[in-house]
Amino acid sequence: MMSKTELFVDASGIWCMGSQPYGIKWVDLYQVWGYTLDYPEIGSQLELALTHHGANLVINATWPGFDKAAAAITEYLFLENNDWRQHAAAVKAGAAPYLVWSKDGK
C-alpha cells in the first residue's frame, strides 16, 4: 500500500505530513545522500542524515512535494550550480549512495 505522505518545506526545515508528522530542521542537517532502491514504484530516494550515527529522514521521489523539497535543499545548501539531483537520480539500484552534501565539507 502506497503512503499518503506529503512533503512540506518552510524556513525551518523539511516536513513529512502523513499519519504521524515528522521532519528535520535545516540547522540539524548533517549530510544529504541520493540513492535508488530496487522497487520500480518507489524510484529515487534522498536520505537526509541528522548525525554521524545514522539518524535520518528518507524522502521519496513519488511523494507529493518532492520537487519542492529538492529545490529547497538546493537553495538552502547553496547547490545551484551543482547537478546533484540528476546525479543522485542516476544512481542505479544496488550501487553505492551518492554524497550530495556534508556539513563538514567531506
Side-chain angles (χ1 to χ4, degrees), residues 14 24-32 47-51 73 76-77 101 103:
I14 298 176
I24 183 170
K25 293 181 181 179
W26 294 119
V27 297
D28 294 333
L29 199 62
Y30 178 72
Q31 292 179 327
V32 177
E47 178 180 345
L48 308 179
L50 295 168
T51 69
I73 291 167
Y76 180 79
L77 300 178
W101 174 87
K103 186 177 267 186

Side-chain angles (χ1 to χ4, degrees), residues 33-36 47 91 94-100:
W33 292 85
Y35 63 93
T36 301
E47 178 180 345
V91 174
Y98 167 63
L99 179 63
V100 172

Side-chain angles (χ1 to χ4, degrees), residues 36-87:
T36 301
L37 294 177
D38 194 14
Y39 301 108
E41 69 276 10
I42 293 176
S44 299
Q45 308 289 294
L46 289 180
E47 178 180 345
L48 308 179
L50 295 168
T51 69
H52 293 283
H53 306 293
N56 61 26
L57 168 68
V58 177
I59 61 176
N60 188 307
T62 64
W63 293 346
F66 178 85
D67 287 336
K68 287 182 182 180
I73 291 167
T74 299
E75 182 178 337
Y76 180 79
L77 300 178
F78 305 105
L79 300 173
E80 289 87 2
N81 296 321
N82 184 321
D83 62 353
W84 73 269
R85 287 181 67 186
Q86 292 80 12
H87 192 105

Side-chain angles (χ1 to χ4, degrees), residues 2-8 15-19 22 62-65:
M2 294 303 289
S3 172
K4 298 288 185 193
T5 303
E6 291 186 49
L7 296 170
F8 294 91
W15 311 105
C16 298
M17 307 303 281
S19 58
Y22 58 96
T62 64
W63 293 346

